[in-house]
Amino acid sequence: MTQTEYIVGVDVGGTWTRALLFETSAKAIEKIREQVDTSCDMAISDQIIKMIYNLCKRNGIAVSSLKGIGIASAGPLDSKKGLLIKPPNLPFDYVPLVEPIKQKLNVPTFLINDCAAAVLSEKEFGGGKGIKNLFYVTISTGIGSGIIIDDRLLLGEKGIAAEIGHVTVLPDGPMCGCGRRGHLEALASGTAIARWVKDKLAQGAVSTLPQNQTITTEMIANAAKSGDTLSTAALERAGRLIGQALANLLHIFNPTAIIIGGGVSQSGAILLEPMQAAMKEYTLSPSYLDNLILTRAAFGDEVGLVGALALGRSRYPYTKHNHD
Amino acid sequence: MTQTEYIVGVDVGGTWTRALLFETSAKAIEKIREQVDTSCDMAISDQIIKMIYNLCKRNGIAVSSLKGIGIASAGPLDSKKGLLIKPPNLPFDYVPLVEPIKQKLNVPTFLINDCAAAVLSEKEFGGGKGIKNLFYVTISTGIGSGIIIDDRLLLGEKGIAAEIGHVTVLPDGPMCGCGRRGHLEALASGTAIARWVKDKLAQGAVSTLPQNQTITTEMIANAAKSGDTLSTAALERAGRLIGQALANLLHIFNPTAIIIGGGVSQSGAILLEPMQAAMKEYTLSPSYLDNLILTRAAFGDEVGLVGALALGRSRYPYTKHNHD
């Protein structure tokens, strides 16, 4: 009889650190979560180590028998050095994660950002199964991507590749959170869509949306579905800009499949149809679109943990080039 | 004593087919060239086979002892299927190259486009030696690129990736040769620079350039060097647009090195300085530029043959994913 093997997936968020113990078969055993200690009494790495100890102890598993630990976190981070760069809510610039955990637990440990985790989750368990060239884009508060080329994760020289939210779409466009102008994220993210609507309302645009109240993209999507012209225009505009950026990425990567995730993509056809129209309009040749698989993400809130599992489990093929 | 091994590199151009017999050490033995038979009496594959036979015969080498044949050609082409798509000057849509040669000569044969050949030539023999993440861009009549990620050539699902000339830079910009608007090639290629200057002259712009005469980018570069304001403005404008596109590509690929080739890049600082300024201006974080190697291409006219040699010689590592 083969001995059951185990993996831990960890998702480091702005508020919660979540850890899930899996069998390598991907069967989930137990999930725990703890609030990120922003008081800084304990290093994140120590918090993760403690969580892993607890998970193992409660399930009668020796920590030393873990086959891998995958950690997903919001970026920016350095996958190669295994550290967080300016993590949200923490007053540090560089927080080492991988080395302290590896040293303490003696288990292979890997760190990637949440978009890379998302594309791995799709590749291993979702719509990207068996696909060698896979492009995942999330349209959420921000816009990010995870890219698999030839079965390997695109990380770049310093592990800071795949930042498609910061591709310039309109050179004279609005300022991006990063301080540059006209980036896709500044034009078509959830934040950007809400801001565009707010500006139009302030200019007196007619809409069924409430005045003088925080407008969310969910409210905009709902209003659009009920026929609100302003909300429809906002999502159509964002969809077209995303489609324009995706056309560029088709020319650059010629992927087999594009998977769209993130809360804003839940708006559905009102966003996705103009997106597809723009992709077609801006694409050099039908070859890029013929047989292209375009699908919605399989995972929602769990994507970080699932991707961390995929990373912890596979380890070698996706990120080999970073650990040669 | 080890037996000397041989490779043939073939460069299929619009006018000439050139073939060069190399030792695998990269020592050139003999080069021959023949005009492409546009009368179509002979298939290109047969012409190449004949040239390889002749090269081998004259040098006392058995064709069967060749270790590889690398073929570079202007695109569009399909590397995976080994065929040319709409080759210049030929009235065919799909011209098989690899299969007929492999069948006749029984030598491993590989086909890539000229930009892919260029990046391989740099990777194997030029400024890209030892660099795992390499971005080659050529600024010539058109704009193209060859991309190495993690020591492997980026080809995409159908072998039509890396078309950075067809990335949208100005959504409402001028029409591209491909029929879409605002692509980098339509704004900053040699053709685009000359057209911009011609339009300005027609509008009465003051310049030392001759009126009513074909204007080449070489003339524009020379005039700019002599202080012509219009020519300087044309190259600065193109340089900035290229820099903007390269900033996007830094965010997407996070390469170790960018190598700039092609005739227009010979314009030097007048083009490259605004390019670098725009790269800096449009880049999210200095991390993308710190330690980035930015250099000029090592090869000129020979780049196709040198790249074909690199392909024929290495075969396996660069394009393994296409021949699994």
Side-chain angles (χ1 to χ4, degrees):
Chain A
M1 207 187 108
T2 326
Q3 184 119 25
T4 311
E5 297 189 326
Y6 299 92
I7 297 291
V8 174
V10 180
D11 183 27
V12 181
T15 312
W16 296 98
T17 299
R18 294 183 294 176
L20 181 48
L21 178 69
F22 294 93
E23 288 183 11
T24 47
S25 66
K27 187 183 156 199
I29 308 292
E30 190 192 347
K31 182 164 81 174
I32 52 175
R33 67 174 194 174
E34 286 187 8
Q35 274 196 290
V36 173
D37 180 7
T38 50
S39 70
C40 309
D41 287 341
M42 187 188 269
I44 300 189
S45 57
D46 285 335
Q47 183 186 31
I48 293 172
I49 290 167
K50 199 186 75 184
M51 290 171 82
I52 293 172
Y53 266 126
N54 286 342
L55 270 176
C56 287
K57 200 177 161 189
R58 283 212 294 266
N59 291 281
I61 295 159
V63 171
S64 60
S65 72
L66 289 177
K67 290 300 151 196
I69 298 167
I71 307 173
S73 170
L77 55 78
D78 185 328
S79 287
K80 297 197 178 181
K81 295 190 182 140
L83 45 84
L84 304 180
I85 304 167
K86 295 182 198 283
N89 300 343
L90 286 177
F92 306 120
D93 260 12
Y94 291 93
V95 179
L97 268 194
V98 168
E99 272 314 305
I101 295 173
K102 260 165 86 173
Q103 277 183 16
K104 195 77 172 250
L105 304 184
N106 197 28
V107 175
T109 303
F110 304 91
L111 171 70
I112 46 174
N113 74 39
D114 43 10
C115 288
V119 77
L120 287 191
S121 70
E122 295 291 336
K123 167 84 176 156
E124 197 87 352
F125 305 109
K129 246 187 219 173
I131 292 176
K132 289 171 88 86
N133 296 292
L134 185 61
F135 195 94
Y136 171 92
V137 55
T138 178
I139 308 150
S140 178
T141 325
I143 292 182
S145 73
I147 302 170
I148 303 249
I149 297 170
D150 192 24
D151 280 339
R152 295 203 276 184
L153 202 54
L154 172 65
L155 289 168
E157 180 59 22
K158 298 179 184 174
I160 51 175
E163 283 288 357
I164 73 138
H166 301 281
V167 155
T168 304
V169 175
L170 286 180
D172 301 318
M175 192 63 85
C176 184
C178 75
R180 306 301 183 187
R181 281 203 177 278
H183 285 175
L184 181 61
E185 181 162 301
L187 285 157
S189 64
T191 315
I193 294 169
R195 188 176 48 223
W196 188 84
V197 166
K198 208 181 132 201
D199 287 352
K200 292 288 168 190
L201 286 174
Q203 289 161 28
V206 177
S207 170
T208 59
L209 288 165
Q211 299 277 348
N212 309 316
Q213 193 182 316
T214 305
I215 308 265
T216 65
T217 44
E218 212 182 331
M219 289 161 69
I220 295 169
N222 287 334
K225 278 169 197 160
S226 307
D228 181 53
T229 317
L230 180 68
S231 299
T232 306
L235 291 170
E236 276 179 3
R237 177 177 175 276
R240 283 194 56 78
L241 290 160
I242 294 164
Q244 181 192 323
L246 287 181
N248 287 347
L249 295 161
L250 289 177
H251 295 153
I252 293 170
F253 288 110
N254 178 211
T256 317
I258 296 180
I259 295 181
I260 318 258
V264 179
S265 69
Q266 307 290 333
S267 315
I270 302 168
L271 181 88
L272 301 178
E273 279 176 11
M275 181 193 87
Q276 282 181 269
M279 278 172 75
K280 204 169 162 188
E281 197 176 305
Y282 282 101
T283 303
L284 164 64
S285 139
S287 302
Y288 292 95
L289 293 164
D290 291 346
N291 307 318
L292 176 73
I293 299 163
L294 186 65
T295 182
R296 302 270 285 277
F299 301 99
D301 194 38
E302 298 294 275
V303 65
L305 281 175
V306 176
L309 160 67
L311 179 69
R313 186 169 85 151
S314 65
R315 301 174 341 218
Y316 170 83
Y318 297 131
T319 59
K320 181 177 181 302
H321 47 316
N322 296 297
H323 304 282
D324 285 345
Chain B
M1 204 186 109
T2 326
Q3 183 119 23
T4 310
E5 297 189 326
Y6 300 91
I7 298 291
V8 174
V10 180
D11 183 29
V12 180
T15 312
W16 296 98
T17 300
R18 294 182 293 177
L20 182 49
L21 179 69
F22 294 93
E23 287 183 11
T24 46
S25 66
K27 187 183 158 200
I29 307 294
E30 190 191 349
K31 182 165 80 174
I32 53 175
R33 67 173 195 175
E34 286 187 9
Q35 274 196 291
V36 173
D37 181 6
T38 50
S39 70
C40 309
D41 288 340
M42 187 187 269
I44 301 188
S45 56
D46 285 335
Q47 183 186 33
I48 293 172
I49 290 167
K50 199 187 75 185
M51 289 170 81
I52 293 172
Y53 267 125
N54 287 342
L55 270 175
C56 288
K57 199 177 164 190
R58 283 211 296 265
N59 291 281
I61 295 160
V63 171
S64 60
S65 72
L66 289 176
K67 290 300 151 196
I69 298 167
I71 307 173
S73 170
L77 55 79
D78 185 328
S79 287
K80 298 198 176 178
K81 296 190 181 140
L83 44 82
L84 303 180
I85 304 168
K86 297 181 196 287
N89 299 343
L90 285 177
F92 306 119
D93 260 13
Y94 291 92
V95 179
L97 268 193
V98 168
E99 271 314 304
I101 295 173
K102 260 165 87 173
Q103 276 183 17
K104 195 77 171 247
L105 303 184
N106 196 27
V107 175
T109 304
F110 304 91
L111 171 69
I112 46 173
N113 74 39
D114 43 10
C115 287
V119 77
L120 287 190
S121 71
E122 294 291 336
K123 167 84 177 155
E124 197 87 351
F125 305 109
K129 246 187 223 174
I131 291 176
K132 287 172 90 85
N133 296 293
L134 185 62
F135 195 95
Y136 171 92
V137 55
T138 176
I139 308 151
S140 178
T141 325
I143 292 182
S145 73
I147 302 170
I148 303 247
I149 297 170
D150 192 26
D151 280 339
R152 295 204 275 185
L153 202 54
L154 172 65
L155 288 168
E157 180 58 23
K158 299 179 183 173
I160 51 175
E163 282 288 356
I164 73 138
H166 300 282
V167 155
T168 305
V169 176
L170 286 179
D172 302 317
M175 192 63 87
C176 184
C178 75
R180 306 298 183 189
R181 283 204 176 277
H183 285 175
L184 181 62
E185 181 162 302
L187 285 158
S189 64
T191 316
I193 294 169
R195 188 175 48 223
W196 188 85
V197 165
K198 208 180 132 203
D199 288 352
K200 292 288 170 192
L201 286 175
Q203 289 161 29
V206 178
S207 169
T208 59
L209 288 165
Q211 299 278 349
N212 310 317
Q213 195 182 315
T214 305
I215 308 266
T216 65
T217 44
E218 212 182 333
M219 288 160 69
I220 295 169
N222 287 334
K225 279 169 197 161
S226 306
D228 181 54
T229 316
L230 180 68
S231 299
T232 305
L235 291 170
E236 277 179 2
R237 178 176 174 275
R240 283 194 56 81
L241 289 160
I242 294 164
Q244 181 193 322
L246 288 181
N248 287 347
L249 294 161
L250 290 177
H251 295 154
I252 292 171
F253 289 109
N254 178 212
T256 318
I258 296 180
I259 296 181
I260 317 258
V264 179
S265 69
Q266 308 289 332
S267 315
I270 300 168
L271 181 87
L272 300 178
E273 279 176 9
M275 181 192 87
Q276 282 181 267
M279 278 172 74
K280 206 170 161 186
E281 197 175 306
Y282 282 100
T283 303
L284 164 66
S285 139
S287 301
Y288 292 95
L289 293 164
D290 291 345
N291 307 318
L292 176 74
I293 300 163
L294 186 65
T295 180
R296 302 272 284 278
F299 302 99
D301 194 38
E302 299 294 275
V303 67
L305 281 175
V306 175
L309 160 67
L311 179 69
R313 186 169 86 152
S314 66
R315 299 173 342 216
Y316 170 84
Y318 297 131
T319 60
K320 180 176 182 301
H321 48 317
N322 296 297
H323 304 282
D324 286 344

